[in-house]
Amino acid sequence: MTNKTIGKYGETLAKEFLIKKGYRILELNYRYSRMAEIDIIALKDNTIHFVEVKTRTQKFFGSPLEAINKTKLMSIYNCSKFYLLNSNIRCEKMQIDAIAIVLDSNKQAQISFLENISL
């Protein structure tokens, strides 16, 4: 599997994970520019969730969550502001969440969900 294929598979797993938890998916791979993208935008309990998904096939190079740095968070934040300004969605709160997925050799997933992440 290529890195792109692994990433898309992880995003599919993350979407299914959120749906099972009662989230309504609003957007997938929402782009603000060539440099800014939000993997999943979802709504639950009048809170809009901007979700970054990171998928790895091993932890040898660290946890998938370690790939979410200050620059990435700022990119998600700026993209989320653009989305809110240009959508008809109204909500009480917004937050940035992260889903980390580690796949084993049989494509079995270990999923970690961190809500309301910040610097």
Side-chain angles (χ1 to χ4, degrees):
M1 286 174 67
T2 66
N3 286 344
K4 189 172 184 174
T5 305
I6 292 166
K8 288 295 177 195
Y9 181 64
E11 288 173 5
T12 299
L13 292 174
K15 179 182 79 167
E16 292 169 359
F17 174 85
L18 291 171
I19 290 169
K20 286 179 185 174
K21 294 217 170 266
Y23 290 76
R24 182 169 62 110
I25 305 302
L26 303 175
E27 300 276 349
L28 297 171
N29 303 113
Y30 179 81
R31 286 197 171 282
Y32 165 61
S33 69
R34 287 184 52 218
M35 301 300 289
E37 178 188 39
I38 298 174
D39 296 323
I40 300 172
I41 301 174
L43 185 66
K44 183 178 181 186
D45 299 331
N46 212 20
T47 299
I48 193 162
H49 298 261
F50 298 96
V51 184
E52 176 67 11
V53 180
K54 292 293 181 187
T55 307
R56 299 288 184 267
T57 56
Q58 57 182 329
K59 288 187 180 180
F60 183 74
F61 295 108
S63 163
L65 295 175
E66 293 177 77
I68 303 173
N69 57 25
K70 179 180 178 178
T71 302
K72 184 62 179 175
L73 278 176
M74 288 307 297
S75 172
I76 295 167
Y77 178 73
N78 289 329
C79 192
S80 68
K81 289 192 308 184
F82 182 81
Y83 176 80
L84 291 171
L85 286 171
N86 292 289
S87 75
N88 293 326
I89 301 296
R90 299 294 170 245
C91 56
E92 291 180 11
K93 297 186 288 184
M94 65 161 276
Q95 66 186 50
I96 298 172
D97 302 332
I99 294 180
I101 300 172
V102 178
L103 301 172
D104 66 18
S105 58
N106 296 321
K107 291 189 185 179
Q108 295 299 309
Q110 176 187 357
I111 299 175
S112 301
F113 183 39
L114 290 177
E115 296 184 77
N116 206 15
I117 63 173
S118 64
L119 299 173

